[in-house]
């Protein structure tokens, strides 16, 4: 299918998705519900939707500056956002974008606005320098994050906030974790070279691909020799201070990447717990691909009386729900769906989970508190308050020697880890 024949359809589908996101829907859920026809152009849809949402603050400001007669209907506004992104991405010829955006108006049943869409996009191309100057003082347009998010990072990270915002607008790296139970790291290194897959080895089992690949094209993936997992996420299992024979709980375990890494590192008895039955069902297939096994349970980590058998765990990974502010480049809708008040809500939930899991941790055992957040309200503040209120809780240095808070950069996402021991 040539560019002209397909782009209008892609614009229409992307506009429908982005309009739903603007109304509060989840981008992940929208892609899970794609029609069979839309799935055929998935790569193009990912580019249009994710690209638009990464630049959401900017494209919103541009369309607002150009729409002299007021805001158009939400679906038309979303089409314009996607079209502005497409023009700025330079992936398509300018006249093709304008022509196909106009054709997409019919596909989204907005025939009367064809002239409006055509005029607005052509005006953007003519007056781009003027528009740029007009939005230059709009913080959301410049940094492409909500204002409250910008302010929160500026307060918490006086020196790093600008780089963190820039990282949140970029494309995520793709990292691999070798399953040493299936292949030696040196042999996998040779396999990458033999397959002509450029990658850089970062540590004992972690590689960073120079260019992201569809998972089915990753050498050894189908054979269970390797998993796709961010380098920041790979710290979790290493920071849990594992040993053979331990009884381990991976709380909030789905989709199971950290569960698998724990089982790859040590011979342990592992229970993988998740509150969502649908998400919990995704754990077993991943373990099966890697040749690993675990006990999988559905239950609320904050209410262990509903699922716990009374035998304490020596190690617990508490990968708690959070704002996901450290991984927004992978899920660009998150920064626009979150609200400042959500941080307090997450912190309350995190405290409840910590309290519940503390009850099932053995004396002398260790609990690793983990988030993919960069906001202190969900991280240090939660851990410090918990340790202050629990006499038996002692925070320990992380076994890998790394910082508690890692910030998103070119190699990894942002994660927080805190290891807490229950004194005997």
């Amino acid at each position: 299918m040539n560019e002209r024949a397909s782009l209008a359809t892609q614009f229409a589908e992307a506009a429908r998705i982005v309009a739903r996101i603007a109304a509060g829907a989840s981008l992940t859920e929208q892609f899970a519900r794609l029609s069979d026809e839309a799935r055929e152009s998935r790569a193009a849809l990912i580019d249009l939707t994710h690209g638009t949402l990464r630049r959401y603050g900017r494209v919103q400001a541009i369309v607002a500056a150009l729409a002299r007669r007021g805001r158009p209907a939400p679906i038309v506004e979303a089409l314009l956002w996607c079209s502005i992104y497409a023009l700025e991405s330079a992936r398509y010829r300018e006249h093709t974008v304008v022509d196909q955006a106009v054709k997409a108006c019919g596909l989204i049943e907005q025939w009367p606005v064809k002239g409006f869409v055509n005029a607005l996009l052509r005006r953007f191309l003519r007056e781009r320098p003027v528009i740029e100057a007009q939005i230059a003082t709009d913080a959301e347009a410049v940094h492409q994050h909500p204002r409250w998010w910008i302010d929160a990072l500026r307060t918490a990270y006086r020196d790093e906030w600008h780089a963190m915002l820039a990282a949140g607008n970029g494309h995520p790296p793709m990292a691999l974790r070798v399953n040493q139970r299936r292949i030696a790291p040196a042999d996998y290194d040779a396999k990458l070279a033999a397959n002509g897959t450029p990658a850089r080895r970062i540590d004992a089992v972690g590689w960073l691909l120079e260019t992201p690949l569809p998972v089915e094209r990753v050498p050894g993936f189908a054979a269970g020799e390797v998993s796709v997992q961010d380098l920041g996420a790979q710290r979790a299992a290493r920071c849990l201070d594992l040993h053979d024979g331990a009884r381990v709980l991976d709380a909030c375990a789905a989709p199971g990447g950290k569960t698998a890494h724990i089982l790859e590192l040590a011979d342990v008895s592992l229970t993988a717990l998740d509150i969502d039955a649908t998400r919990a069902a995704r754990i077993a297939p991943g373990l099966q691909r890697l040749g690993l096994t675990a006990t999988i349970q559905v239950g609320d980590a904050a209410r262990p009386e509903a699922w716990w058998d009374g035998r304490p765990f020596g190690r617990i990974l508490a990968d708690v729900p959070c704002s996901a502010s450290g991984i927004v480049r992978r899920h660009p809708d998150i920064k626009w769906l979150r609200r400042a008040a959500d941080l307090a809500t997450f912190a309350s939930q995190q405290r409840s989970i910590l309290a519940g899991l503390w009850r099932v941790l053995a004396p002398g055992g260790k609990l690793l508190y983990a988030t993919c957040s960069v906001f202190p309200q969900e991280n240090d503040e939660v851990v410090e308050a918990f340790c202050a209120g629990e006499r038996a809780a002692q925070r320990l240095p992380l076994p890998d020697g790394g910082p508690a808070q890692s910030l998103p950069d070119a190699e990894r996402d942002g994660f927080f880890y805190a290891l807490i021991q229950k004194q005997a």
Side-chain angles (χ1 to χ4, degrees):
M1 189 177 291
N2 63 45
E3 180 184 272
R4 279 188 173 273
S6 64
L7 189 54
T9 301
Q10 293 162 5
F11 271 151
E13 189 63 36
R16 293 185 188 102
I17 292 172
V18 171
R20 294 181 195 121
I21 303 307
S26 160
L27 185 57
T28 300
E29 291 177 0
Q30 294 305 306
F31 270 85
R33 296 172 181 172
L34 283 181
S35 65
D36 291 339
E37 182 179 351
R39 287 178 189 277
E40 294 179 5
S41 57
R42 183 182 177 89
L45 277 177
I46 288 175
D47 174 58
L48 286 172
T49 56
H50 288 61
T52 298
L53 291 167
R54 286 193 183 100
R55 301 173 70 83
Y56 191 52
R58 177 178 172 80
V59 297
Q60 274 189 309
I62 290 172
V63 171
L66 291 166
R68 290 174 173 168
R69 64 184 189 187
R71 293 186 66 173
I75 187 68
V76 176
E77 193 171 38
L79 173 61
L80 289 167
W81 294 335
C82 294
S83 303
I84 294 291
Y85 163 71
L87 286 170
E88 293 201 317
S89 73
R91 295 179 186 273
Y92 314 94
R93 294 185 291 273
E94 290 179 350
H95 71 274
T96 299
V97 171
V98 176
D99 174 70
Q100 295 296 288
V102 171
K103 285 185 169 60
C105 292
L107 299 177
I108 58 173
E109 300 183 346
Q110 296 288 325
W111 300 277
V113 301
K114 285 186 175 184
F116 168 69
V117 168
N118 180 68
L120 186 144
L121 295 177
R122 291 188 183 281
R123 184 178 164 218
F124 170 67
L125 293 173
R126 288 194 312 270
E127 302 179 14
R128 190 177 298 191
V130 175
I131 300 299
E132 291 286 358
Q134 191 172 336
I135 67 173
T137 57
D138 184 332
E140 291 193 356
V142 172
H143 298 296
Q144 297 161 59
H145 284 69
R147 190 174 300 275
W148 73 265
W149 193 303
I150 297 168
D151 293 341
L153 290 188
R154 185 188 286 119
T155 299
Y157 302 96
R158 295 177 61 183
D159 297 324
E160 302 92 351
W161 68 273
H162 196 277
M164 293 171 69
L165 291 171
N169 294 328
H171 289 271
M174 184 172 182
L176 307 178
R177 185 193 76 237
V178 167
N179 178 8
Q180 295 185 87
R181 295 185 182 274
R182 285 278 172 92
I183 189 170
D187 292 339
Y188 189 72
D189 209 17
K191 175 171 283 193
L192 286 173
N195 278 271
T197 305
R200 178 162 52 94
R201 188 171 180 178
I202 303 298
D203 53 40
V205 297
W207 272 258
L208 195 66
L209 295 182
E210 286 189 14
T211 304
L213 294 172
V215 69
E216 61 270 14
R217 289 175 50 197
V218 173
F221 181 85
E225 297 172 349
V226 67
S227 295
V228 176
Q229 186 181 40
D230 183 79
L231 294 172
Q234 291 183 33
R235 291 186 64 201
R238 296 198 300 269
C239 288
L240 195 50
D241 195 20
L242 296 163
H243 60 81
D244 289 348
R247 179 170 157 81
V248 179
L249 172 66
D250 182 1
C252 315
K258 297 180 182 71
T259 303
H261 196 189
I262 291 169
L263 293 167
E264 291 169 7
L265 286 180
D267 292 317
V268 299
S269 172
L270 190 145
T271 297
L273 179 77
D274 203 272
I275 194 171
D276 188 316
T278 300
R279 283 173 50 80
R282 296 170 57 190
I283 299 173
L287 296 180
Q288 185 176 10
R289 178 181 64 83
L290 297 164
L292 305 169
T293 58
T295 299
I296 300 171
Q297 287 186 257
V298 176
D300 185 350
R303 299 182 60 190
E305 64 276 5
W307 52 265
W308 185 41
D309 64 5
R311 293 183 295 158
F313 295 93
R315 295 289 185 273
I316 297 177
L317 172 59
D319 188 9
V320 297
C322 69
S323 64
S325 50
I327 60 170
V328 290
R329 57 188 168 187
R330 299 186 187 277
H331 306 280
D333 56 324
I334 286 175
K335 57 188 175 184
W336 302 106
L337 295 176
R338 296 281 183 253
R339 299 293 180 265
D342 293 342
L343 300 186
T345 302
F346 279 119
S348 176
Q349 184 180 14
Q350 292 153 0
R351 289 191 293 268
S352 295
I353 290 174
L354 265 178
L357 294 177
W358 194 249
R359 293 160 52 192
V360 306
L361 181 65
K366 298 176 182 179
L367 179 151
L368 183 70
Y369 177 88
T371 78
C372 54
S373 173
V374 295
F375 292 125
Q377 297 96 316
E378 302 178 273
N379 296 335
D380 266 319
E381 291 181 17
V382 171
V383 172
E384 288 173 4
F386 176 78
C387 290
E390 287 286 348
R391 296 178 60 184
Q394 180 183 5
R395 188 169 174 178
L396 304 175
L398 294 172
D400 71 348
Q405 180 71 71
S406 60
L407 303 181
D409 58 26
E411 293 187 347
R412 67 197 72 222
D413 291 332
F415 284 86
F416 176 84
Y417 297 108
L419 187 63
I420 307 169
Q421 185 170 35
K422 180 186 277 189
Q423 300 301 300

